[in-house]
Amino acid sequence: MSSHHGENEPLLGSSSTSQGHSHPPIVRDFTHLEDVASLDERTLAEEEVTPQDDDVSTKRHLGLTSTVFLIFNRIIGTSIFATPSVILRASGSVGLSFVMWLLGATIAACGTAVYIELGTALPKNGGEKNYLEYIYQRPKFLMACGYAAYAMLIGWSAANVSVFGEYVLHAINPTQTPPPIATRLAGVFCITFALVIHGTRPAWGVRLQNALGVLKLMALCAIALSGLAALARLPGFKLDEPPRNFEWSHMWEGSGKGGVSAFVTGLFTVVWAFVGYSNANYALSEVRDPVRTIKLAAPLAVFSVTIAYLLANVAYFAVVPKDEILGSGRIVAALFFGKLWGIGAERIVAGIVAVSTFANIMTVLYTQGRVIQALGQEGIIPFSAFFASNKPFGAPLAGLFEQWFVTTSLVLSVPTGDAYLFMINMITYPISLINMFVSLGLLYLHTPLRARLSPGLHALWAPPFRAWTSVVAVFFLSNVFLVLAPLVPPAPGFKVYENLPYWLHVLAAASISLLGVGYWYVYWQWLPRRGGYKLVREWVREDGATRSVIHKVKL
């Protein structure tokens, strides 16, 4: 299937996806599907996925550049500026920390291929919600409800919001450590501004995201070139006592001293640093020529990020001694520039990193607000009409506000000390869990089993882009490892958290999943049986968007 054909009529046969024609209201009863023994896949796909498409002639406003920055800004937030010390502590050595970064890049490359295939097959807002629903169609709505719990209850920007405050205040006064409440309030102000601009002036928000992305790229280039110049001992960059981090006898010293748990903690942090390769998939209904664009934008963004990460790490270790990086906390980039050009440069780079973090916060809020809107448009979550609405400014203000509320609540309530790492793990673990199910389902779609076991549901899987099955398998196995490894107790002498149990983020993520399963059982199974009614799903056109309404019909 060519990309052009895939765009006009992707896997699911919705001509509205790329031609810009709106459909009349669609009304279907979904409750009878479980009793149909032989079901045409195209009909099911239209019922399950396509109705939430809006009038795409007015929605598709993201071009190639905006889509690249949607991914680029999402991946690079505080990660390369704030996490090298965490990764170095977990690995124990400079050499092994580079191995971790390369492993993270490999996982990200495999994940990019997986999400390009899924995105070209189902080019719609919602991301993993669409893929999980399409692959795991029985029990009905279970996967959607489980995913909805993660989408709504995890503050996806919480870690970056916290660090934004640290960098802003460090830029104002790098010689004084601000009180924790001040850094938190600064972060809350940042995400509040993002809420206002994305919720009231979405076009301005996209332009601001792109501009901040350019500044971020310039900052990374400055770090990389400065570090390489210091390593080459060029005039103006020559250090009086250069660190010995790249001498072979020192490069691998201390490798793996924290054991498996330490390695997993570091790998989790690296994976979090690359999280975002699927970010454009959440807003594909707003991307022009989505099949062609995602095939170009995602690899370009991820490749650029990988090169930037590796060069930035070379720069850090070329300038800053290992012991100082270990003690730098989350201001290693500021320490790097301070070493080269003094306290004034440290203040400037702290401001640049704050701007980079702000771009990430804006990008995450932009896409996650649209995921919640898609859940509302399909009637999956409570108060669906409220979350599906584009009123009053033509933006998913309700979904944006929900993410703002959860994120600010976490930022203001999680205790200091372990807050940053806990929030990173709370974000990364559910992503690994979701990626495990997504990639397992895609492996199933790649096998002939799909035609024999569910010929009416998955037999037509032929997307415009197809990832190698071996790449999908590597992505699946890596996520299985990331899901299971945190359950291994840490080695003696190593602590994942200072004051929290090492397994707390796993328990928290599992609890959120159970909440989603519990909601599905009560609302979609137990209450209808107890009340003697069935739930009938009806698609309606309202507020410029197609959404579903759930009706109770007495049996």
Side-chain angles (χ1 to χ4, degrees):
M1 183 182 293
S2 70
S3 293
H4 178 72
H5 176 71
E7 176 117 359
N8 288 332
E9 187 178 2
L11 170 70
L12 304 180
S14 171
S15 61
S16 70
T17 301
S18 60
Q19 294 182 6
H21 302 300
S22 60
H23 287 289
I26 304 170
V27 181
R28 291 189 177 95
D29 182 349
F30 279 68
T31 58
H32 69 284
L33 295 182
E34 286 84 351
D35 302 325
V36 179
S38 178
L39 186 64
D40 178 73
E41 182 186 20
R42 188 180 301 276
T43 301
L44 176 64
E46 289 173 354
E47 290 177 332
E48 289 281 349
V49 184
T50 59
Q52 81 255 30
D53 269 343
D54 301 340
D55 185 353
V56 292
S57 62
T58 61
K59 287 187 63 178
R60 295 196 183 280
H61 57 90
L62 300 177
L64 178 62
T65 300
S66 294
T67 306
V68 169
F69 277 118
L70 204 61
I71 300 171
F72 185 82
N73 282 334
R74 173 63 179 95
I75 298 177
I76 301 180
T78 58
S79 50
I80 191 58
F81 306 113
T83 60
S85 61
V86 177
I87 296 165
L88 180 60
R89 183 172 72 93
S91 64
S93 70
V94 174
L96 192 57
S97 69
F98 274 98
V99 172
M100 284 186 173
W101 283 104
L102 290 172
L103 284 174
T106 301
I107 294 171
C110 294
T112 300
V114 166
Y115 278 95
I116 291 175
E117 175 169 350
L118 293 164
T120 55
L122 303 168
K124 320 173 69 59
N125 280 4
E128 294 99 337
K129 178 197 74 66
N130 297 328
Y131 316 144
L132 292 170
E133 272 194 302
Y134 178 80
I135 296 168
Y136 303 99
Q137 295 178 9
R138 303 291 184 270
K140 203 164 181 59
F141 300 118
L142 175 60
M143 278 294 181
C145 291
Y147 181 80
Y150 286 121
M152 300 191 70
L153 299 178
I154 291 179
W156 298 100
S157 296
N160 284 332
V161 168
S162 298
V163 173
F164 172 83
E166 292 185 16
Y167 269 99
V168 163
L169 297 179
H170 190 78
I172 295 172
N173 187 356
T175 62
Q176 182 177 352
T177 302
I181 187 62
T183 62
R184 296 182 186 214
L185 290 177
V188 169
F189 175 80
C190 165
I191 195 171
T192 301
F193 177 82
L195 168 69
V196 172
I197 192 169
H198 277 323
T200 61
R201 294 290 185 272
W204 294 5
V206 171
R207 295 189 191 104
L208 180 58
Q209 286 176 181
N210 293 347
L212 294 174
V214 172
L215 289 177
K216 182 185 303 189
L217 187 59
M218 292 172 61
L220 285 169
C221 289
I223 290 174
L225 293 176
S226 299
L228 292 175
L231 193 63
R233 300 189 178 185
L234 297 180
F237 295 89
K238 187 176 180 180
L239 300 173
D240 293 333
E241 296 183 8
R244 304 170 63 187
N245 293 327
F246 290 118
E247 294 181 9
W248 193 258
S249 59
H250 290 83
M251 190 171 179
W252 299 95
E253 188 177 21
S255 295
K257 64 180 181 181
V260 175
S261 183
F263 185 85
V264 171
T265 299
L267 191 58
F268 252 82
T269 308
V270 172
V271 169
W272 176 78
F274 280 98
V275 162
Y277 44 80
S278 63
N279 200 48
N281 292 58
Y282 301 128
L284 282 178
S285 291
E286 302 178 32
V287 174
R288 293 193 295 269
D289 197 0
V291 171
R292 176 181 178 274
T293 300
I294 194 65
K295 288 165 66 175
L296 293 173
L300 179 60
V302 173
F303 178 76
S304 301
V305 167
T306 301
I307 297 300
Y309 278 0
L310 293 176
L311 289 178
N313 272 283
V314 170
Y316 292 150
F317 288 115
V319 172
V320 185
K322 176 182 174 181
D323 291 341
E324 293 189 33
I325 293 177
L326 287 171
S328 65
R330 295 186 289 275
I331 57 170
V332 62
L335 182 62
F336 165 82
F337 271 83
K339 282 278 185 181
L340 285 179
W341 292 300
I343 198 71
E346 185 177 345
R347 177 181 286 116
I348 292 172
V349 76
I352 292 173
V353 175
V355 169
S356 168
T357 309
F358 180 36
N360 176 273
I361 293 167
M362 288 195 65
T363 303
V364 173
L365 189 66
Y366 179 90
T367 53
Q368 290 302 316
R370 280 148 181 81
V371 170
I372 294 170
Q373 183 183 47
L375 290 165
Q377 288 171 348
E378 295 199 7
I380 299 296
I381 56 180
F383 310 107
S384 291
F386 173 70
F387 287 111
S389 175
N390 275 319
K391 292 180 180 179
F393 302 106
L397 183 58
L400 295 168
F401 176 80
E402 192 277 340
Q403 271 297 291
W404 173 89
F405 178 79
V406 173
T407 300
T408 54
S409 297
L410 281 173
V411 170
L412 295 174
S413 63
V414 175
T416 56
D418 290 320
Y420 181 70
L421 185 56
F422 177 77
M423 286 188 285
I424 287 178
N425 289 338
M426 264 298 296
I427 294 168
T428 309
Y429 192 83
I431 289 175
S432 300
L433 194 63
I434 292 168
N435 284 341
M436 182 180 72
F437 281 106
V438 167
S439 53
L440 176 63
L442 189 56
L443 282 174
Y444 168 72
L445 294 178
H446 277 204
T447 66
L449 282 174
R450 77 181 194 276
R452 292 200 295 269
L453 297 181
S454 56
L457 302 183
H458 301 124
L460 296 180
W461 186 257
F465 175 89
R466 190 178 179 92
W468 290 340
T469 302
S470 58
V471 168
V472 181
V474 169
F475 188 59
F476 168 69
L477 292 174
S478 66
N479 282 285
V480 170
F481 171 77
L482 292 172
V483 167
L484 297 180
L487 301 175
V488 178
F494 178 82
K495 295 175 67 176
V496 176
Y497 301 111
E498 294 178 11
N499 302 305
L500 300 176
Y502 71 92
W503 41 259
L504 186 61
H505 61 277
V506 177
L507 178 63
S511 300
I512 292 174
S513 179
L514 290 176
L515 283 175
V517 172
Y519 166 71
W520 166 81
Y521 178 77
V522 171
Y523 185 76
W524 297 97
Q525 304 294 319
W526 184 73
L527 286 178
R529 288 200 300 266
R530 183 179 177 84
Y533 62 85
K534 65 178 180 178
L535 293 173
V536 178
R537 199 178 190 190
E538 173 185 324
W539 293 100
V540 298
R541 189 78 176 176
E542 180 181 284
D543 185 26
T546 304
R547 69 176 186 86
S548 67
V549 178
I550 308 298
H551 296 294
K552 297 178 182 179
V553 178
K554 284 290 184 182
L555 296 175

